[in-house]
Amino acid sequence: MTADATGNLYLADGATFTIVKVDPTGKATLVAGKSGVRGVSDGVGTSAEFYSPNDIAVDSNGNLYVTDSYKIDYLGSASVNSFSPLGSVYRAAIRKVTPAGVVTTLAGSATAGNPSDMGYADGVGTDARFSNPQGIAVDLAGNVFVADYSNACIRKINPQGIVTTYTGSPTSIGGRDGTLATASFNLVHELKIDNAGNLYTIHSAGVGRWIRKVSTDGNVTSFGERVVATNLLVNSITGKLYGISQVHGGVYHNLLYSISEAGVESTVGTAVPSSPTSIAFVASSSAATLSNGVISSVPLP
């Protein structure tokens, strides 16, 4: 879920394979995709299809960017599984939705269903490959950043559609801080950006979770081991970082905390609905959470 400058929320609805807009009055509008129909077709509005929309970001011009990612391994008979007896379905693409509702495949595979639709390759547009892209963010210059979960790296798509590996590498998995060229990651999922262009991601390895900061000066640093369980939030006005912690002080709950770069949570948190799946910065003092299909307003602590 993400919010634009006027307070409109946009949801990548993986359950219905659609992109939905919710205005400040709570009115929901279908932006793109066919409800209940999974597919890969580009098009306008409801003529376009999404395979499995995951995360979403919006730029200063109102363009939306969506990670459309899906992979499932399963057993089945030839009647239901063309890869029988052991098969997989693959999808890994970055989609763009303009304010007019025009949906295109910005980068990654334009098809789905084959192992070649996932992988690791830099390149231009649909020549590039991703593996289970998760979080997505866009900076003020229109560069799109993608948390390439299974490739253990963060990818960059410039306004010309050229995909490069921004930091990390699938051939060097770990948790090493350093420069963009020397830092390593394991599994990266959540991805947020502040107005200065600094990126924040949740990096997980085994039972540990860290917040990683990728600064505009080209350095990657870590803080806050096991501070955040699921979601990050950046106040785009102040640059302050927040996280939803489902475990705090050995107690299970759902609280939104502010987090310092020393990895210290604030002592007082704001309660959020149970098991939130997404959070978006809305205004200087509030955020919106998505939990079990319900959007709620949450004051920032």
Side-chain angles (χ1 to χ4, degrees), residues 113-128:
N114 297 298
S116 61
D117 292 316
M118 275 191 175
Y120 173 73
D122 289 336
V124 180
T126 56
D127 289 335

Side-chain angles (χ1 to χ4, degrees), residues 21 23 94 134 149 179 188 198 236 243 285 299:
K21 174 185 175 180
D23 71 17
I94 311 303
Q134 298 287 309
Y149 182 83
T179 65
V188 287
N198 300 300
S236 60
S285 59

Side-chain angles (χ1 to χ4, degrees), residues 174-190:
R176 183 175 59 250
D177 289 342
T179 65
L180 295 178
T182 62
S184 62
F185 296 80
N186 196 310
L187 302 174
V188 287
H189 27 108
E190 190 84 1

Side-chain angles (χ1 to χ4, degrees), residues 6-299:
T6 60
N8 296 301
L9 294 170
Y10 297 90
L11 287 70
D13 191 344
T16 63
F17 321 121
T18 59
I19 307 303
V20 178
K21 174 185 175 180
V22 180
D23 71 17
T25 70
K27 180 183 177 180
T29 306
L30 179 62
V31 174
K34 299 176 183 177
S35 183
V37 178
R38 171 175 275 158
V40 299
S41 298
D42 290 338
V44 180
T46 56
S47 69
E49 298 169 335
F50 292 85
Y51 208 83
S52 186
N54 187 347
D55 197 14
I56 189 168
V58 61
D59 69 15
S60 58
N61 295 315
N63 297 297
L64 302 172
Y65 301 89
V66 181
T67 49
D68 195 8
S69 174
Y70 184 83
K71 181 180 184 293
I72 184 170
D73 297 308
Y74 56 91
L75 292 169
S77 66
S79 62
V80 296
N81 181 359
S82 61
F83 298 94
S84 186
L86 174 64
S88 301
V89 173
Y90 300 83
R91 171 65 170 165
I94 311 303
R95 314 291 292 280
K96 178 179 179 180
V97 186
T98 70
V102 178
V103 180
T104 55
T105 301
L106 178 67
S109 177
T111 59
N114 297 298
S116 61
D117 292 316
M118 275 191 175
Y120 173 73
D122 289 336
V124 180
T126 56
D127 289 335
R129 287 293 179 270
F130 299 81
S131 186
N132 199 11
Q134 298 287 309
I136 191 166
V138 58
D139 68 14
L140 296 178
N143 296 296
V144 177
F145 297 89
V146 178
D148 200 353
Y149 182 83
S150 297
N151 279 328
C153 62
I154 296 173
R155 313 289 290 281
K156 177 181 177 180
I157 310 170
N158 72 10
Q160 290 73 46
I162 299 172
V163 180
T164 55
T165 301
Y166 188 58
T167 185
S169 169
T171 61
S172 180
I173 296 173
R176 183 175 59 250
D177 289 342
T179 65
L180 295 178
T182 62
S184 62
F185 296 80
N186 196 310
L187 302 174
V188 287
H189 27 108
E190 190 84 1
L191 192 63
K192 300 295 183 183
I193 193 167
D194 63 23
N195 277 350
N198 300 300
L199 292 168
Y200 302 86
T201 186
I202 298 176
H203 160 116
S204 60
V207 297
R209 284 176 180 264
W210 295 262
I211 299 170
R212 310 290 298 277
K213 179 180 180 180
V214 185
S215 303
T216 54
D217 64 7
N219 289 305
V220 178
T221 53
S222 302
F223 57 95
E225 181 180 359
R226 303 199 71 183
V227 167
V228 178
T230 52
N231 303 97
L232 283 179
L233 175 71
V234 176
N235 184 324
S236 60
I237 297 175
T238 66
K240 195 172 184 179
L241 183 66
Y242 300 85
I244 294 177
S245 179
Q246 293 182 330
V247 182
H248 182 70
V251 179
Y252 284 82
H253 53 47
N254 291 278
L255 289 176
L256 180 66
Y257 286 96
S258 63
I259 306 170
S260 73
E261 290 191 25
V264 178
E265 296 173 332
S266 58
T267 56
V268 178
T270 300
V272 298
S274 177
S275 302
T277 55
S278 186
I279 185 169
F281 174 75
V282 178
S284 59
S285 59
S286 67
T289 63
L290 177 64
S291 177
N292 299 316
V294 177
I295 297 173
S296 304
S297 179
V298 178

